[in-house]
Amino acid sequence: MAQVDWKKISHHHAALPAAELSANAATVLERRYLLKDRAGHPAEGPDEMFRRVANNVASAESGHHLRQTMADAFYGLMRSMVFLPNSPTLMNAGRPLQQLAACFVLPIEDSMESIFETLKAAALIHQTGGGTGFSFSRLRPRGDLVHTSMGQASGPVSFMRVYNEATRAISQGGFRRGANIAILRADHPDVREFIACKEAEGALENFNISVAVTDEFMQAVESGGEVALVNPRDDEVWQRTSAAQLWHEIVQRAWNNGEPGLLFLDRTNSDNPTPAVGPIESTNPCGEQPLLPWEACNLGSINLARFVADGAINNQHLTSTVHLAVRFLDNAIDVSRYPLPEIGRVVWDNRKIGLGIMGWADALIALGLAYDSPEALSLAEQVMSLITREAHRASEALALERGAFGNFADSTFARQGLPPRRNATCTTIAPTGTLSLLASCSAGIEPLYSVAHERHVLGGERLLELQAEFEQMAVARGLDRAALADRLSANSPREIAELPDDVRRVFVTAHDIPAENHVRMQAAFQRHVDNAVSKTINLPASATVDEVDKAYRLAWRLGCKGITIYRDKSRASQVLVRSNGRPMICPDCVDLGATEICPECGAVLNVESACNLCPSCGYSKC
């Protein structure tokens, strides 16, 4: 029987000290999260926002005393910045929308009615701050017969353009633009049109795209076999093509501008806890949350940088935080108001949550470990194994208290004789763009993009800033901070020979890391995550098509559920914001766009992107 001391945990977290908010965090909170009055001025401060969210999420508890106890614990959990829920929870909890989930997947069947009913559903979701994923694989290909009109079908990509235009017209509740991902199977007759649909700069700007590939397809790629392109309407083979040639086209397009990514279907469905309900065909826009049609998920992230003490991860503190965060996310399911009844039914039947981490690069630096070291890979597995194990234990404890998720009896857990759980999945690693900005930590499991950057402030003044841990180290060692900041704005610490060896080793940046090491880090986490992992495989501008090919193959071999790469300078808009190699930030720049990959560092900006800057590297459009 799973035992969790909720009383002890709640008292511990209620007593955690509040974290200081950075100027950037305060700005983003004011622009995106705080309740506003009719004139558009903040009607609450950060403390009131966290208290609003805590009280609302705790309202799922039974009894006044327990609700107050958990409200205090949830407030401490967030205000200390050891954990933050996904953006819609911070935005909407305790407000009229009351839609707290970030991730949705909607079905698209091969009929005009389904296509436009799903578009309507997506519009409702976008209005509440959620992002949507779609598989277009069930749609008949371009040129196929439409019996009702005796005309020809226009194909999946044509409807993606319709969805893209609709998304552009919808403001996400006044907070964010809509974010989508489109998935198409590699054996669909229109796959070549699909992989080329974002070739032009700015095309389908509200979509990420990924090709869904099976193990059979990957084996054909490696053996030199063929793949049959099959019309999903009647299973007729339209064409046979070289799997290796199709693979090369996918890889070439990804090298060109970062898309398409890949979704490994068989690996993803191997962890599907409810296969009797149906297969997984799509994910949320950033790829970390595979979901069934009509399913949604609440995410939250633990700031791992806050758990380093005396040269080690404080596992006791981390364990109690995991337990409380799972209760928070499970409560959020019950108090959330879903845009459509179909979504509510699937969510309540499966109760999926996704607890992950941010601040991974910061934690490694505090521990004196290089991101690309074997020790870092080993620690990744240890930390994520603990988080997922304890998340499962908390879910089992909640099942004893509240009951298992509705589909448990038909789940893989029941078939294996495992104890009942409250949640069909418990862990996910999200990109945490804005959340990491609020918590002043590195994003998700990404490495640092740079150690120094140039900030533009009002009046035209430019200030060089160092990454916090690097600045602390420089002060402690008596290094020339100003001289270092100037050189590090254009160079990695590993390129500055006069820095101490241990500093050059630990302060590694994204482009110092070979693609293979990026993929191995993603795979290390994936081995201990219920859902999936959002990670950008950053490549230097000099990277070759062959390097992209090897990264994509390695991700499949190591058991990743998907992969996204970005090659530096592979998008034209990037050149507009570089000066002497320095990323620049302006406090009043235009919205980066909810579905872009940052052209400076490759971070995925959809769903969590701040309005004025890339949270990973400081890239600004203006």
Side-chain angles (χ1 to χ4, degrees), residues 251-401:
V251 169
Q252 178 70 56
R253 297 290 183 187
W255 179 88
N256 285 347
N257 68 1
E259 294 195 84
L262 294 178
L263 170 64
F264 299 113
L265 273 181
D266 293 323
R267 175 66 183 91
T268 297
N269 276 286
S270 69
D271 281 351
N272 180 1
T274 58
V277 179
I280 291 171
E281 299 177 322
S282 187
T283 72
N284 73 315
C286 295
E288 74 273 14
Q289 191 61 52
L291 293 169
L292 297 169
W294 297 117
E295 195 165 33
C297 188
N298 295 74
L299 307 182
S301 298
I302 290 172
N303 179 4
L304 203 61
R306 300 264 173 185
F307 294 82
V308 178
D310 301 321
I313 300 289
N314 185 334
N315 287 338
Q316 183 177 358
H317 181 27
L318 180 57
T319 295
S320 67
T321 299
V322 169
H323 292 170
L324 187 61
V326 166
R327 191 177 188 110
F328 180 106
L329 294 174
D330 187 67
N331 280 14
I333 293 172
D334 289 329
V335 301
S336 184
R337 185 180 302 132
Y338 298 100
L340 293 163
E342 297 94 326
I343 296 172
R345 284 193 292 269
V346 178
V347 169
W348 293 322
D349 280 344
N350 293 332
R351 305 190 67 86
K352 286 182 180 174
I353 60 172
L355 178 63
I357 66 167
M358 54 186 168
W360 174 238
D362 296 333
L364 290 176
I365 290 168
L367 293 168
L369 298 177
Y371 187 96
D372 55 349
S373 67
E375 294 80 6
L377 288 177
S378 177
L379 184 63
E381 296 215 38
Q382 293 173 38
V383 167
M384 206 62 219
S385 175
L386 181 148
I387 290 172
T388 295
R389 181 178 66 250
E390 293 303 324
H392 291 169
R393 191 156 73 95
S395 187
E396 290 169 9
L398 288 173
L400 290 174
E401 179 182 333

Side-chain angles (χ1 to χ4, degrees), residues 286-589:
C286 295
E288 74 273 14
Q289 191 61 52
L291 293 169
L292 297 169
W294 297 117
E295 195 165 33
C297 188
N298 295 74
L299 307 182
S301 298
I302 290 172
N303 179 4
L304 203 61
R306 300 264 173 185
F307 294 82
V308 178
D310 301 321
I313 300 289
N314 185 334
N315 287 338
Q316 183 177 358
H317 181 27
L318 180 57
T319 295
S320 67
T321 299
V322 169
H323 292 170
L324 187 61
V326 166
R327 191 177 188 110
F328 180 106
L329 294 174
D330 187 67
N331 280 14
I333 293 172
D334 289 329
V335 301
S336 184
R337 185 180 302 132
Y338 298 100
L340 293 163
E342 297 94 326
I343 296 172
R345 284 193 292 269
V346 178
V347 169
W348 293 322
D349 280 344
N350 293 332
R351 305 190 67 86
K352 286 182 180 174
I353 60 172
L355 178 63
I357 66 167
M358 54 186 168
W360 174 238
D362 296 333
L364 290 176
I365 290 168
L367 293 168
L369 298 177
Y371 187 96
D372 55 349
S373 67
E375 294 80 6
L377 288 177
S378 177
L379 184 63
E381 296 215 38
Q382 293 173 38
V383 167
M384 206 62 219
S385 175
L386 181 148
I387 290 172
T388 295
R389 181 178 66 250
E390 293 303 324
H392 291 169
R393 191 156 73 95
S395 187
E396 290 169 9
L398 288 173
L400 290 174
E401 179 182 333
R402 301 172 172 178
F405 66 91
N407 284 324
F408 178 81
D410 291 326
S411 71
T412 57
F413 309 130
R415 293 175 194 172
Q416 297 170 44
L418 297 175
R421 294 181 186 177
R422 181 68 170 166
N423 314 97
T425 65
C426 292
T427 52
T428 301
I429 294 182
T432 72
T434 305
L435 297 188
S436 59
L437 191 87
L438 298 181
S440 299
C441 67
S442 56
I445 61 165
E446 300 290 352
L448 300 179
Y449 179 74
S450 63
V451 172
H453 61 261
E454 184 176 278
R455 182 181 302 281
H456 286 192
V457 296
L458 294 176
E461 185 180 3
R462 298 181 177 185
L463 301 175
L464 282 173
E465 294 188 354
L466 289 171
Q467 192 260 355
E469 285 78 7
F470 190 91
E471 179 148 21
Q472 292 170 9
M473 178 281 304
V475 171
R477 299 193 183 199
L479 301 177
D480 187 333
R481 178 194 175 282
L484 278 177
D486 186 62
R487 294 189 64 187
L488 287 167
S489 64
N491 299 282
S492 159
R494 288 191 175 178
E495 298 172 319
I496 301 179
E498 54 266 40
L499 282 174
D501 287 346
D502 63 321
V503 173
R504 295 171 64 204
R505 175 179 56 83
V506 170
F507 284 92
V508 60
T509 59
H511 289 151
D512 296 325
I513 302 168
E516 176 181 342
N517 296 60
H518 279 285
V519 175
R520 291 190 181 279
M521 183 61 77
Q522 178 176 336
F525 277 100
Q526 183 61 81
R527 281 190 277 276
H528 305 283
V529 168
D530 294 339
N531 292 302
V533 176
S534 178
K535 169 86 175 76
T536 301
I537 311 304
N538 280 289
L539 301 173
S542 59
T544 64
V545 174
D546 185 57
E547 289 176 79
V548 177
D549 184 301
K550 289 178 179 177
Y552 273 15
R553 291 177 194 250
L554 183 62
W556 172 64
R557 292 182 189 130
L558 293 181
C560 296
K561 294 181 180 178
I563 181 171
T564 300
I565 68 101
Y566 181 75
R567 184 176 61 86
D568 192 32
K569 299 183 176 67
S570 64
R571 295 196 179 185
S573 60
Q574 182 170 329
V575 299
L576 300 177
V577 293
R578 288 193 67 80
S579 172
N580 296 323
R582 297 171 181 172
M584 300 185 293
I585 301 173
C586 169
D588 277 321
C589 66

Side-chain angles (χ1 to χ4, degrees), residues 110 136-141 188-189 230-236:
D110 188 34
F136 286 83
S137 299
R138 295 181 183 272
L139 298 190
R140 69 191 70 188
H188 192 285
V230 180
N231 184 341
R233 179 179 61 82
D234 57 8
D235 293 330
E236 178 186 350

Side-chain angles (χ1 to χ4, degrees), residues 82-141:
V82 300
F83 164 87
L84 289 174
N86 53 214
S87 287
T89 299
L90 295 176
M91 292 173 177
N92 298 333
R95 299 176 66 177
L97 279 176
Q98 195 57 37
Q99 197 293 102
L100 311 189
C103 308
F104 294 79
V105 164
L106 297 174
I108 302 179
E109 300 297 336
D110 188 34
S111 72
M112 199 64 71
E113 291 81 6
S114 175
I115 291 168
F116 283 94
E117 283 296 327
T118 294
L119 179 57
K120 175 184 176 181
L124 295 173
I125 289 167
H126 290 165
Q127 283 184 320
T128 69
T132 46
F134 316 92
S135 172
F136 286 83
S137 299
R138 295 181 183 272
L139 298 190
R140 69 191 70 188

Side-chain angles (χ1 to χ4, degrees), residues 185-192 195 216-217 220-221 224-230 237-250:
R185 288 177 61 104
D187 57 5
H188 192 285
D190 287 1
V191 64
R192 284 189 164 93
I195 64 177
E216 181 181 10
F217 173 82
V221 169
E226 289 187 334
V227 58
L229 304 184
V230 180
V237 175
W238 273 37
Q239 180 187 355
R240 295 188 182 275
T241 189
S242 163
Q245 178 58 38
L246 180 56
W247 173 260
H248 177 75
E249 293 174 34
I250 292 170

